Amino acid sequence: MARKQPMELFMPPNMLKAKVGGGKGGIDLAAMERAEAAMEELKSEFSDWIAEDVKKLTAARARYAATPDADARANLLRGAHDIKGQAPTYNYPLIARVAASLARMIGELPSTAAIPLSLIDAHVTAIQVIHKNAMKDSGNKTAQTLCAELDARVNEVLAANGP
Amino acid sequence: MLVVDDNVHMRKLVTTILQAFGVLQISEAESGDRAWTVLRETNPDVIVLDWVMEGMSGLDLVQMIRTNPQAPNPFVPVIMLTGHTSLEHVRQARDAGVNEFIAKPVSVKTMMSRLVSVIEQPRPYVRTGVYFGPCRRRRLEDFRGPERRTEKTKQAAAE
C-alpha cells in the first residue's frame, strides 16, 4: 500500500480583505456598471485592435511559410490563440471560431509533424475575408459552412497524425 | 495589482476594467520574464496572468511565484486569464498553483466574480512534497445556499 505524503494545510492571514476595507464585501454592482461603461467607451478601438491582430497572424503565417521551425510554429500558435480568445470581445465570433480551429490544429499536432501550409492558408484567408467584410453575425450560413469545412479538414489532419 | 499579457490590447482591456472597479495601483508586464522583475519590485496584491506568452509562460511564472525563494509573496492570488478552455487546461493551471481561472473572452461580471472570490473566499494553502499553492479542492464548509442535491435525493427516495 502506498505511503501517504506528509501534507501541511494552512490559511494565511487575509491581508487583502483588510486592504479593501473589510466589511461585507461581495459583488459591487456600482463598480460593475462603471466597468461596463468603460468597456463601451473602449469599443470604438476594437476595430483597430482586431485589424492589428489579423495583421500579426498574417505575418506569423509568412514567417512560418519561410522558415517552418519551432519558433515560427510557436509564434503562429500564439497568434491564433490570441485571436481565438479576443475576437469575441471585439464582436467577431466567426473569426474566433476559425482561429480556434487553427490553434487546435497547431496545438494538437505532434511537434514532429509538419503543419500543412495549405490548411494554415485556408484559415488565415478565411479570417482575412471575415474581417474585411466585417462579418459579425455568427449565424451567417456561408461562414458556418466554411467553418465546418475547416473543422473537418483539421480533424482529418489530426486523425492522420494521431497516436 | 499586476496584469501580465503579451497582447497590449488585452492589457488595456483588463486594466480598464480594474480601474473602473476602483483599483488604484496597476502595473503591467508584457512577458513572464518582465513580470518576474516587476512583481519583485512592486509586490502586487493580485496577479492577472495570461497563459500563452513568448518565453516564460504563465504557468512557469506561477510555479516560480509559489516556489522560488526570491518571490516576495508565495501566497499572492493568481487569476489565470486564458484562451485555453478545456478541463485539462484548468487542471494544469490548478496544479501549477493558480487560484482562479477565467476563460477568454473576458467579461466584467467574471472578472468581478473572481476578484471577489480571491478576496472574500480565499482558499487555504497546501504544502506537500511535490506541490505548494492554493488547496486544489474547493471549500465546501462555507456553502450556505439550499442543499438542492440533498432535497432532490430525499424527494427521489420519497417517490
Side-chain angles (χ1 to χ4, degrees):
Chain A
M1 199 170 144
R3 226 174 63 180
K4 278 188 180 174
Q5 286 190 340
M7 186 184 87
E8 188 187 350
L9 183 70
F10 52 99
M11 180 63 86
N14 191 350
M15 306 304 286
L16 198 50
K17 186 162 183 179
K19 272 193 177 181
V20 298
K24 282 164 74 179
I27 301 290
D28 182 341
L29 292 176
M32 284 180 64
E33 278 177 22
R34 284 197 305 272
E36 293 288 4
M39 285 273 279
E40 274 301 313
E41 282 184 28
L42 267 190
K43 277 185 180 172
S44 62
E45 298 185 42
F46 285 175
S47 62
D48 288 343
W49 292 6
I50 187 74
E52 279 181 43
D53 285 349
V54 171
K55 202 172 159 185
K56 214 187 287 182
L57 181 69
T58 307
R61 177 263 162 214
R63 180 177 157 189
Y64 183 80
T67 316
D69 58 15
D71 280 351
R73 187 179 181 128
N75 187 45
L76 188 61
L77 177 58
R78 280 195 302 277
H81 187 81
D82 271 2
I83 293 183
K84 170 194 165 192
Q86 285 147 214
T89 302
Y90 307 151
N91 203 19
Y92 275 98
L94 289 167
I95 288 183
R97 184 168 167 195
V98 177
S101 171
L102 179 57
R104 183 168 79 95
M105 176 171 68
I106 304 167
E108 292 185 13
L109 262 181
S111 58
T112 49
I115 314 167
L117 190 58
S118 59
L119 199 44
I120 295 173
D121 285 349
H123 283 83
V124 174
T125 305
I127 287 170
Q128 288 168 333
V129 169
I130 294 167
H131 177 244
K132 190 179 172 189
N133 293 293
M135 295 162 72
K136 297 183 179 182
D137 175 13
S138 59
N140 184 296
K141 294 283 180 212
T142 309
Q144 281 189 342
T145 306
L146 176 64
C147 290
E149 185 62 25
L150 289 172
D151 285 342
R153 296 283 85 79
V154 168
N155 287 339
E156 283 172 15
V157 169
L158 292 177
N161 290 277
Chain B
M1 286 189 61
L2 173 60
V3 178
V4 188
D5 200 306
D6 58 353
N7 188 290
V8 64
H9 305 137
M10 274 316 287
R11 290 204 304 277
K12 184 166 183 185
L13 194 70
V14 173
T15 302
T16 300
I17 293 172
L18 295 176
Q19 282 170 336
F21 284 170
V23 180
L24 299 176
Q25 293 178 345
I26 305 172
S27 305
E28 295 182 29
E30 71 286 358
S31 69
D33 296 292
R34 177 70 191 139
W36 178 240
T37 303
V38 174
L39 76 90
R40 281 180 296 156
E41 289 168 356
T42 61
N43 191 16
D45 294 318
V46 179
I47 299 175
V48 179
L49 177 62
D50 185 24
W51 183 322
V52 179
M53 294 182 287
E54 190 171 7
M56 190 195 297
S57 73
L59 275 198
D60 295 337
L61 181 63
V62 178
Q63 282 165 344
M64 278 185 80
I65 291 167
R66 299 290 181 233
T67 59
N68 191 308
Q70 289 180 28
N73 177 11
F75 304 110
V76 63
V78 175
I79 300 172
M80 180 70 85
L81 174 60
T82 176
H84 286 315
T85 50
S86 71
L87 279 177
E88 174 57 21
H89 285 107
V90 176
R91 191 189 60 74
Q92 281 182 36
R94 186 197 63 183
D95 289 349
V98 163
N99 299 67
E100 296 291 338
F101 190 94
I102 300 178
K104 289 178 186 174
V106 64
S107 74
V108 168
K109 189 179 168 189
T110 313
M111 185 63 79
M112 171 64 83
S113 153
R114 299 302 188 274
L115 277 175
V116 167
S117 185
V118 297
I119 295 168
E120 301 289 332
Q121 294 137 8
R123 296 177 189 219
Y125 276 68
V126 175
R127 188 189 305 278
T128 71
V130 293
Y131 174 77
F132 171 71
C135 182
R136 289 172 285 187
R137 293 179 187 154
R138 285 214 173 263
R139 296 197 314 172
L140 299 176
E141 65 271 23
D142 286 346
F143 183 67
R144 295 194 180 93
E147 293 289 349
R148 293 196 182 91
R149 285 183 188 172
T150 310
E151 284 165 11
K152 272 186 186 169
T153 310
K154 281 179 188 167
Q155 210 172 25
E159 285 166 1

mmCIF file with all atom_site columns, all heavy atoms in Angstrom, chain B residues 79-101:
data_model
loop_
_atom_site.group_PDB
_atom_site.id
_atom_site.type_symbol
_atom_site.label_atom_id
_atom_site.label_alt_id
_atom_site.label_comp_id
_atom_site.label_asym_id
_atom_site.label_entity_id
_atom_site.label_seq_id
_atom_site.pdbx_PDB_ins_code
_atom_site.Cartn_x
_atom_site.Cartn_y
_atom_site.Cartn_z
_atom_site.occupancy
_atom_site.B_iso_or_equiv
_atom_site.pdbx_formal_charge
_atom_site.auth_seq_id
_atom_site.auth_comp_id
_atom_site.auth_asym_id
_atom_site.auth_atom_id
_atom_site.pdbx_PDB_model_num
ATOM 1   N N   . ILE B 1 79  ? -4.869  34.989 -10.810 1.00 0.00 ? 79  ILE B N   1
ATOM 2   C CA  . ILE B 1 79  ? -6.045  34.711 -11.648 1.00 0.00 ? 79  ILE B CA  1
ATOM 3   C C   . ILE B 1 79  ? -5.540  34.489 -13.062 1.00 0.00 ? 79  ILE B C   1
ATOM 4   O O   . ILE B 1 79  ? -4.981  35.396 -13.671 1.00 0.00 ? 79  ILE B O   1
ATOM 5   C CB  . ILE B 1 79  ? -7.047  35.898 -11.606 1.00 0.00 ? 79  ILE B CB  1
ATOM 6   C CG1 . ILE B 1 79  ? -7.533  36.131 -10.166 1.00 0.00 ? 79  ILE B CG1 1
ATOM 7   C CG2 . ILE B 1 79  ? -8.226  35.626 -12.529 1.00 0.00 ? 79  ILE B CG2 1
ATOM 8   C CD1 . ILE B 1 79  ? -8.363  37.407 -10.000 1.00 0.00 ? 79  ILE B CD1 1
ATOM 9   N N   . MET B 1 80  ? -5.707  33.282 -13.560 1.00 0.00 ? 80  MET B N   1
ATOM 10  C CA  . MET B 1 80  ? -5.240  32.954 -14.910 1.00 0.00 ? 80  MET B CA  1
ATOM 11  C C   . MET B 1 80  ? -6.324  33.313 -15.917 1.00 0.00 ? 80  MET B C   1
ATOM 12  O O   . MET B 1 80  ? -7.456  32.841 -15.827 1.00 0.00 ? 80  MET B O   1
ATOM 13  C CB  . MET B 1 80  ? -4.909  31.458 -14.984 1.00 0.00 ? 80  MET B CB  1
ATOM 14  C CG  . MET B 1 80  ? -4.415  30.959 -16.316 1.00 0.00 ? 80  MET B CG  1
ATOM 15  S SD  . MET B 1 80  ? -2.766  31.533 -16.729 1.00 0.00 ? 80  MET B SD  1
ATOM 16  C CE  . MET B 1 80  ? -1.734  30.325 -15.916 1.00 0.00 ? 80  MET B CE  1
ATOM 17  N N   . LEU B 1 81  ? -5.956  34.170 -16.876 1.00 0.00 ? 81  LEU B N   1
ATOM 18  C CA  . LEU B 1 81  ? -6.897  34.635 -17.904 1.00 0.00 ? 81  LEU B CA  1
ATOM 19  C C   . LEU B 1 81  ? -6.398  34.095 -19.235 1.00 0.00 ? 81  LEU B C   1
ATOM 20  O O   . LEU B 1 81  ? -5.321  34.481 -19.688 1.00 0.00 ? 81  LEU B O   1
ATOM 21  C CB  . LEU B 1 81  ? -6.898  36.166 -17.899 1.00 0.00 ? 81  LEU B CB  1
ATOM 22  C CG  . LEU B 1 81  ? -7.683  36.915 -18.948 1.00 0.00 ? 81  LEU B CG  1
ATOM 23  C CD1 . LEU B 1 81  ? -9.148  36.555 -18.873 1.00 0.00 ? 81  LEU B CD1 1
ATOM 24  C CD2 . LEU B 1 81  ? -7.522  38.409 -18.758 1.00 0.00 ? 81  LEU B CD2 1
ATOM 25  N N   . THR B 1 82  ? -7.136  33.179 -19.845 1.00 0.00 ? 82  THR B N   1
ATOM 26  C CA  . THR B 1 82  ? -6.570  32.486 -20.998 1.00 0.00 ? 82  THR B CA  1
ATOM 27  C C   . THR B 1 82  ? -7.604  32.063 -22.032 1.00 0.00 ? 82  THR B C   1
ATOM 28  O O   . THR B 1 82  ? -8.780  31.887 -21.706 1.00 0.00 ? 82  THR B O   1
ATOM 29  C CB  . THR B 1 82  ? -5.793  31.233 -20.518 1.00 0.00 ? 82  THR B CB  1
ATOM 30  O OG1 . THR B 1 82  ? -5.328  30.500 -21.648 1.00 0.00 ? 82  THR B OG1 1
ATOM 31  C CG2 . THR B 1 82  ? -6.667  30.324 -19.679 1.00 0.00 ? 82  THR B CG2 1
ATOM 32  N N   . GLY B 1 83  ? -7.126  31.897 -23.251 1.00 0.00 ? 83  GLY B N   1
ATOM 33  C CA  . GLY B 1 83  ? -7.977  31.371 -24.316 1.00 0.00 ? 83  GLY B CA  1
ATOM 34  C C   . GLY B 1 83  ? -8.143  29.870 -24.225 1.00 0.00 ? 83  GLY B C   1
ATOM 35  O O   . GLY B 1 83  ? -8.978  29.279 -24.905 1.00 0.00 ? 83  GLY B O   1
ATOM 36  N N   . HIS B 1 84  ? -7.325  29.207 -23.381 1.00 0.00 ? 84  HIS B N   1
ATOM 37  C CA  . HIS B 1 84  ? -7.497  27.769 -23.159 1.00 0.00 ? 84  HIS B CA  1
ATOM 38  C C   . HIS B 1 84  ? -8.797  27.553 -22.391 1.00 0.00 ? 84  HIS B C   1
ATOM 39  O O   . HIS B 1 84  ? -9.051  28.236 -21.404 1.00 0.00 ? 84  HIS B O   1
ATOM 40  C CB  . HIS B 1 84  ? -6.352  27.205 -22.331 1.00 0.00 ? 84  HIS B CB  1
ATOM 41  C CG  . HIS B 1 84  ? -5.067  27.069 -23.080 1.00 0.00 ? 84  HIS B CG  1
ATOM 42  N ND1 . HIS B 1 84  ? -4.997  26.536 -24.343 1.00 0.00 ? 84  HIS B ND1 1
ATOM 43  C CD2 . HIS B 1 84  ? -3.797  27.374 -22.731 1.00 0.00 ? 84  HIS B CD2 1
ATOM 44  C CE1 . HIS B 1 84  ? -3.732  26.533 -24.748 1.00 0.00 ? 84  HIS B CE1 1
ATOM 45  N NE2 . HIS B 1 84  ? -2.986  27.044 -23.795 1.00 0.00 ? 84  HIS B NE2 1
ATOM 46  N N   . THR B 1 85  ? -9.564  26.578 -22.826 1.00 0.00 ? 85  THR B N   1
ATOM 47  C CA  . THR B 1 85  ? -10.872 26.399 -22.187 1.00 0.00 ? 85  THR B CA  1
ATOM 48  C C   . THR B 1 85  ? -11.154 24.963 -21.737 1.00 0.00 ? 85  THR B C   1
ATOM 49  O O   . THR B 1 85  ? -12.154 24.728 -21.077 1.00 0.00 ? 85  THR B O   1
ATOM 50  C CB  . THR B 1 85  ? -11.991 26.808 -23.162 1.00 0.00 ? 85  THR B CB  1
ATOM 51  O OG1 . THR B 1 85  ? -11.768 26.151 -24.414 1.00 0.00 ? 85  THR B OG1 1
ATOM 52  C CG2 . THR B 1 85  ? -12.010 28.308 -23.392 1.00 0.00 ? 85  THR B CG2 1
ATOM 53  N N   . SER B 1 86  ? -10.281 24.032 -22.072 1.00 0.00 ? 86  SER B N   1
ATOM 54  C CA  . SER B 1 86  ? -10.611 22.628 -21.756 1.00 0.00 ? 86  SER B CA  1
ATOM 55  C C   . SER B 1 86  ? -10.386 22.337 -20.277 1.00 0.00 ? 86  SER B C   1
ATOM 56  O O   . SER B 1 86  ? -9.627  23.031 -19.593 1.00 0.00 ? 86  SER B O   1
ATOM 57  C CB  . SER B 1 86  ? -9.750  21.690 -22.593 1.00 0.00 ? 86  SER B CB  1
ATOM 58  O OG  . SER B 1 86  ? -8.408  21.731 -22.140 1.00 0.00 ? 86  SER B OG  1
ATOM 59  N N   . LEU B 1 87  ? -11.052 21.296 -19.801 1.00 0.00 ? 87  LEU B N   1
ATOM 60  C CA  . LEU B 1 87  ? -10.897 20.887 -18.405 1.00 0.00 ? 87  LEU B CA  1
ATOM 61  C C   . LEU B 1 87  ? -9.456  20.507 -18.106 1.00 0.00 ? 87  LEU B C   1
ATOM 62  O O   . LEU B 1 87  ? -8.942  20.739 -17.016 1.00 0.00 ? 87  LEU B O   1
ATOM 63  C CB  . LEU B 1 87  ? -11.807 19.686 -18.111 1.00 0.00 ? 87  LEU B CB  1
ATOM 64  C CG  . LEU B 1 87  ? -13.262 20.029 -17.822 1.00 0.00 ? 87  LEU B CG  1
ATOM 65  C CD1 . LEU B 1 87  ? -14.061 18.755 -17.617 1.00 0.00 ? 87  LEU B CD1 1
ATOM 66  C CD2 . LEU B 1 87  ? -13.379 20.921 -16.588 1.00 0.00 ? 87  LEU B CD2 1
ATOM 67  N N   . GLU B 1 88  ? -8.787  19.916 -19.106 1.00 0.00 ? 88  GLU B N   1
ATOM 68  C CA  . GLU B 1 88  ? -7.388  19.539 -18.929 1.00 0.00 ? 88  GLU B CA  1
ATOM 69  C C   . GLU B 1 88  ? -6.530  20.784 -18.651 1.00 0.00 ? 88  GLU B C   1
ATOM 70  O O   . GLU B 1 88  ? -5.634  20.751 -17.799 1.00 0.00 ? 88  GLU B O   1
ATOM 71  C CB  . GLU B 1 88  ? -6.895  18.805 -20.190 1.00 0.00 ? 88  GLU B CB  1
ATOM 72  C CG  . GLU B 1 88  ? -5.415  18.473 -20.214 1.00 0.00 ? 88  GLU B CG  1
ATOM 73  C CD  . GLU B 1 88  ? -4.942  17.627 -19.033 1.00 0.00 ? 88  GLU B CD  1
ATOM 74  O OE1 . GLU B 1 88  ? -5.770  16.957 -18.396 1.00 0.00 ? 88  GLU B OE1 1
ATOM 75  O OE2 . GLU B 1 88  ? -3.735  17.672 -18.727 1.00 0.00 ? 88  GLU B OE2 1
ATOM 76  N N   . HIS B 1 89  ? -6.827  21.865 -19.347 1.00 0.00 ? 89  HIS B N   1
ATOM 77  C CA  . HIS B 1 89  ? -6.072  23.094 -19.100 1.00 0.00 ? 89  HIS B CA  1
ATOM 78  C C   . HIS B 1 89  ? -6.385  23.672 -17.717 1.00 0.00 ? 89  HIS B C   1
ATOM 79  O O   . HIS B 1 89  ? -5.493  24.190 -17.040 1.00 0.00 ? 89  HIS B O   1
ATOM 80  C CB  . HIS B 1 89  ? -6.364  24.132 -20.195 1.00 0.00 ? 89  HIS B CB  1
ATOM 81  C CG  . HIS B 1 89  ? -5.682  23.829 -21.490 1.00 0.00 ? 89  HIS B CG  1
ATOM 82  N ND1 . HIS B 1 89  ? -6.355  23.375 -22.596 1.00 0.00 ? 89  HIS B ND1 1
ATOM 83  C CD2 . HIS B 1 89  ? -4.374  23.880 -21.836 1.00 0.00 ? 89  HIS B CD2 1
ATOM 84  C CE1 . HIS B 1 89  ? -5.488  23.179 -23.582 1.00 0.00 ? 89  HIS B CE1 1
ATOM 85  N NE2 . HIS B 1 89  ? -4.281  23.476 -23.142 1.00 0.00 ? 89  HIS B NE2 1
ATOM 86  N N   . VAL B 1 90  ? -7.639  23.597 -17.312 1.00 0.00 ? 90  VAL B N   1
ATOM 87  C CA  . VAL B 1 90  ? -7.999  24.066 -15.966 1.00 0.00 ? 90  VAL B CA  1
ATOM 88  C C   . VAL B 1 90  ? -7.223  23.254 -14.933 1.00 0.00 ? 90  VAL B C   1
ATOM 89  O O   . VAL B 1 90  ? -6.680  23.795 -13.962 1.00 0.00 ? 90  VAL B O   1
ATOM 90  C CB  . VAL B 1 90  ? -9.524  23.929 -15.724 1.00 0.00 ? 90  VAL B CB  1
ATOM 91  C CG1 . VAL B 1 90  ? -9.876  24.311 -14.293 1.00 0.00 ? 90  VAL B CG1 1
ATOM 92  C CG2 . VAL B 1 90  ? -10.303 24.801 -16.695 1.00 0.00 ? 90  VAL B CG2 1
ATOM 93  N N   . ARG B 1 91  ? -7.136  21.935 -15.151 1.00 0.00 ? 91  ARG B N   1
ATOM 94  C CA  . ARG B 1 91  ? -6.415  21.072 -14.219 1.00 0.00 ? 91  ARG B CA  1
ATOM 95  C C   . ARG B 1 91  ? -4.933  21.447 -14.159 1.00 0.00 ? 91  ARG B C   1
ATOM 96  O O   . ARG B 1 91  ? -4.341  21.531 -13.089 1.00 0.00 ? 91  ARG B O   1
ATOM 97  C CB  . ARG B 1 91  ? -6.563  19.597 -14.652 1.00 0.00 ? 91  ARG B CB  1
ATOM 98  C CG  . ARG B 1 91  ? -6.073  18.613 -13.602 1.00 0.00 ? 91  ARG B CG  1
ATOM 99  C CD  . ARG B 1 91  ? -6.038  17.182 -14.143 1.00 0.00 ? 91  ARG B CD  1
ATOM 100 N NE  . ARG B 1 91  ? -5.145  17.041 -15.296 1.00 0.00 ? 91  ARG B NE  1
ATOM 101 C CZ  . ARG B 1 91  ? -3.818  17.033 -15.224 1.00 0.00 ? 91  ARG B CZ  1
ATOM 102 N NH1 . ARG B 1 91  ? -3.221  17.155 -14.072 1.00 0.00 ? 91  ARG B NH1 1
ATOM 103 N NH2 . ARG B 1 91  ? -3.080  16.913 -16.314 1.00 0.00 ? 91  ARG B NH2 1
ATOM 104 N N   . GLN B 1 92  ? -4.346  21.690 -15.337 1.00 0.00 ? 92  GLN B N   1
ATOM 105 C CA  . GLN B 1 92  ? -2.923  22.077 -15.381 1.00 0.00 ? 92  GLN B CA  1
ATOM 106 C C   . GLN B 1 92  ? -2.676  23.382 -14.624 1.00 0.00 ? 92  GLN B C   1
ATOM 107 O O   . GLN B 1 92  ? -1.694  23.506 -13.889 1.00 0.00 ? 92  GLN B O   1
ATOM 108 C CB  . GLN B 1 92  ? -2.470  22.266 -16.832 1.00 0.00 ? 92  GLN B CB  1
ATOM 109 C CG  . GLN B 1 92  ? -2.170  20.977 -17.560 1.00 0.00 ? 92  GLN B CG  1
ATOM 110 C CD  . GLN B 1 92  ? -1.682  21.276 -18.976 1.00 0.00 ? 92  GLN B CD  1
ATOM 111 O OE1 . GLN B 1 92  ? -0.990  22.236 -19.238 1.00 0.00 ? 92  GLN B OE1 1
ATOM 112 N NE2 . GLN B 1 92  ? -2.075  20.431 -19.912 1.00 0.00 ? 92  GLN B NE2 1
ATOM 113 N N   . ALA B 1 93  ? -3.578  24.350 -14.834 1.00 0.00 ? 93  ALA B N   1
ATOM 114 C CA  . ALA B 1 93  ? -3.438  25.643 -14.153 1.00 0.00 ? 93  ALA B CA  1
ATOM 115 C C   . ALA B 1 93  ? -3.555  25.450 -12.643 1.00 0.00 ? 93  ALA B C   1
ATOM 116 O O   . ALA B 1 93  ? -2.770  25.985 -11.862 1.00 0.00 ? 93  ALA B O   1
ATOM 117 C CB  . ALA B 1 93  ? -4.511  26.612 -14.651 1.00 0.00 ? 93  ALA B CB  1
ATOM 118 N N   . ARG B 1 94  ? -4.513  24.651 -12.223 1.00 0.00 ? 94  ARG B N   1
ATOM 119 C CA  . ARG B 1 94  ? -4.721  24.365 -10.805 1.00 0.00 ? 94  ARG B CA  1
ATOM 120 C C   . ARG B 1 94  ? -3.475  23.680 -10.211 1.00 0.00 ? 94  ARG B C   1
ATOM 121 O O   . ARG B 1 94  ? -3.009  24.027 -9.128  1.00 0.00 ? 94  ARG B O   1
ATOM 122 C CB  . ARG B 1 94  ? -5.948  23.445 -10.674 1.00 0.00 ? 94  ARG B CB  1
ATOM 123 C CG  . ARG B 1 94  ? -6.398  23.172 -9.282  1.00 0.00 ? 94  ARG B CG  1
ATOM 124 C CD  . ARG B 1 94  ? -7.314  21.969 -9.255  1.00 0.00 ? 94  ARG B CD  1
ATOM 125 N NE  . ARG B 1 94  ? -6.598  20.755 -9.693  1.00 0.00 ? 94  ARG B NE  1
ATOM 126 C CZ  . ARG B 1 94  ? -7.138  19.558 -9.822  1.00 0.00 ? 94  ARG B CZ  1
ATOM 127 N NH1 . ARG B 1 94  ? -8.419  19.397 -9.596  1.00 0.00 ? 94  ARG B NH1 1
ATOM 128 N NH2 . ARG B 1 94  ? -6.432  18.524 -10.193 1.00 0.00 ? 94  ARG B NH2 1
ATOM 129 N N   . ASP B 1 95  ? -2.927  22.739 -10.943 1.00 0.00 ? 95  ASP B N   1
ATOM 130 C CA  . ASP B 1 95  ? -1.756  22.008 -10.447 1.00 0.00 ? 95  ASP B CA  1
ATOM 131 C C   . ASP B 1 95  ? -0.500  22.884 -10.387 1.00 0.00 ? 95  ASP B C   1
ATOM 132 O O   . ASP B 1 95  ? 0.454   22.544 -9.697  1.00 0.00 ? 95  ASP B O   1
ATOM 133 C CB  . ASP B 1 95  ? -1.481  20.768 -11.313 1.00 0.00 ? 95  ASP B CB  1
ATOM 134 C CG  . ASP B 1 95  ? -2.528  19.692 -11.103 1.00 0.00 ? 95  ASP B CG  1
ATOM 135 O OD1 . ASP B 1 95  ? -3.323  19.834 -10.153 1.00 0.00 ? 95  ASP B OD1 1
ATOM 136 O OD2 . ASP B 1 95  ? -2.550  18.720 -11.876 1.00 0.00 ? 95  ASP B OD2 1
ATOM 137 N N   . ALA B 1 96  ? -0.504  23.977 -11.150 1.00 0.00 ? 96  ALA B N   1
ATOM 138 C CA  . ALA B 1 96  ? 0.654   24.886 -11.115 1.00 0.00 ? 96  ALA B CA  1
ATOM 139 C C   . ALA B 1 96  ? 0.550   25.860 -9.943  1.00 0.00 ? 96  ALA B C   1
ATOM 140 O O   . ALA B 1 96  ? 1.534   26.494 -9.583  1.00 0.00 ? 96  ALA B O   1
ATOM 141 C CB  . ALA B 1 96  ? 0.752   25.660 -12.423 1.00 0.00 ? 96  ALA B CB  1
ATOM 142 N N   . GLY B 1 97  ? -0.669  25.994 -9.352  1.00 0.00 ? 97  GLY B N   1
ATOM 143 C CA  . GLY B 1 97  ? -0.818  26.898 -8.213  1.00 0.00 ? 97  GLY B CA  1
ATOM 144 C C   . GLY B 1 97  ? -1.653  28.126 -8.500  1.00 0.00 ? 97  GLY B C   1
ATOM 145 O O   . GLY B 1 97  ? -1.581  29.117 -7.775  1.00 0.00 ? 97  GLY B O   1
ATOM 146 N N   . VAL B 1 98  ? -2.465  28.057 -9.565  1.00 0.00 ? 98  VAL B N   1
ATOM 147 C CA  . VAL B 1 98  ? -3.355  29.176 -9.890  1.00 0.00 ? 98  VAL B CA  1
ATOM 148 C C   . VAL B 1 98  ? -4.560  29.159 -8.944  1.00 0.00 ? 98  VAL B C   1
ATOM 149 O O   . VAL B 1 98  ? -5.086  28.099 -8.631  1.00 0.00 ? 98  VAL B O   1
ATOM 150 C CB  . VAL B 1 98  ? -3.819  29.042 -11.364 1.00 0.00 ? 98  VAL B CB  1
ATOM 151 C CG1 . VAL B 1 98  ? -5.030  29.892 -11.648 1.00 0.00 ? 98  VAL B CG1 1
ATOM 152 C CG2 . VAL B 1 98  ? -2.671  29.398 -12.298 1.00 0.00 ? 98  VAL B CG2 1
ATOM 153 N N   . ASN B 1 99  ? -4.986  30.328 -8.476  1.00 0.00 ? 99  ASN B N   1
ATOM 154 C CA  . ASN B 1 99  ? -6.139  30.399 -7.569  1.00 0.00 ? 99  ASN B CA  1
ATOM 155 C C   . ASN B 1 99  ? -7.459  30.359 -8.316  1.00 0.00 ? 99  ASN B C   1
ATOM 156 O O   . ASN B 1 99  ? -8.390  29.663 -7.916  1.00 0.00 ? 99  ASN B O   1
ATOM 157 C CB  . ASN B 1 99  ? -6.093  31.685 -6.736  1.00 0.00 ? 99  ASN B CB  1
ATOM 158 C CG  . ASN B 1 99  ? -4.877  31.763 -5.872  1.00 0.00 ? 99  ASN B CG  1
ATOM 159 O OD1 . ASN B 1 99  ? -3.765  31.876 -6.375  1.00 0.00 ? 99  ASN B OD1 1
ATOM 160 N ND2 . ASN B 1 99  ? -5.050  31.682 -4.556  1.00 0.00 ? 99  ASN B ND2 1
ATOM 161 N N   . GLU B 1 100 ? -7.552  31.174 -9.371  1.00 0.00 ? 100 GLU B N   1
ATOM 162 C CA  . GLU B 1 100 ? -8.809  31.263 -10.124 1.00 0.00 ? 100 GLU B CA  1
ATOM 163 C C   . GLU B 1 100 ? -8.507  31.256 -11.613 1.00 0.00 ? 100 GLU B C   1
ATOM 164 O O   . GLU B 1 100 ? -7.411  31.624 -12.040 1.00 0.00 ? 100 GLU B O   1
ATOM 165 C CB  . GLU B 1 100 ? -9.590  32.532 -9.760  1.00 0.00 ? 100 GLU B CB  1
ATOM 166 C CG  . GLU B 1 100 ? -10.060 32.600 -8.315  1.00 0.00 ? 100 GLU B CG  1
ATOM 167 C CD  . GLU B 1 100 ? -11.149 31.582 -7.974  1.00 0.00 ? 100 GLU B CD  1
ATOM 168 O OE1 . GLU B 1 100 ? -11.843 31.116 -8.896  1.00 0.00 ? 100 GLU B OE1 1
ATOM 169 O OE2 . GLU B 1 100 ? -11.295 31.265 -6.788  1.00 0.00 ? 100 GLU B OE2 1
ATOM 170 N N   . PHE B 1 101 ? -9.487  30.868 -12.416 1.00 0.00 ? 101 PHE B N   1
ATOM 171 C CA  . PHE B 1 101 ? -9.297  30.678 -13.848 1.00 0.00 ? 101 PHE B CA  1
ATOM 172 C C   . PHE B 1 101 ? -10.403 31.431 -14.583 1.00 0.00 ? 101 PHE B C   1
ATOM 173 O O   . PHE B 1 101 ? -11.577 31.306 -14.233 1.00 0.00 ? 101 PHE B O   1
ATOM 174 C CB  . PHE B 1 101 ? -9.399  29.166 -14.128 1.00 0.00 ? 101 PHE B CB  1
ATOM 175 C CG  . PHE B 1 101 ? -8.998  28.731 -15.499 1.00 0.00 ? 101 PHE B CG  1
ATOM 176 C CD1 . PHE B 1 101 ? -7.699  28.307 -15.755 1.00 0.00 ? 101 PHE B CD1 1
ATOM 177 C CD2 . PHE B 1 101 ? -9.916  28.687 -16.538 1.00 0.00 ? 101 PHE B CD2 1
ATOM 178 C CE1 . PHE B 1 101 ? -7.313  27.866 -17.008 1.00 0.00 ? 101 PHE B CE1 1
ATOM 179 C CE2 . PHE B 1 101 ? -9.549  28.261 -17.799 1.00 0.00 ? 101 PHE B CE2 1
ATOM 180 C CZ  . PHE B 1 101 ? -8.240  27.843 -18.029 1.00 0.00 ? 101 PHE B CZ  1
#
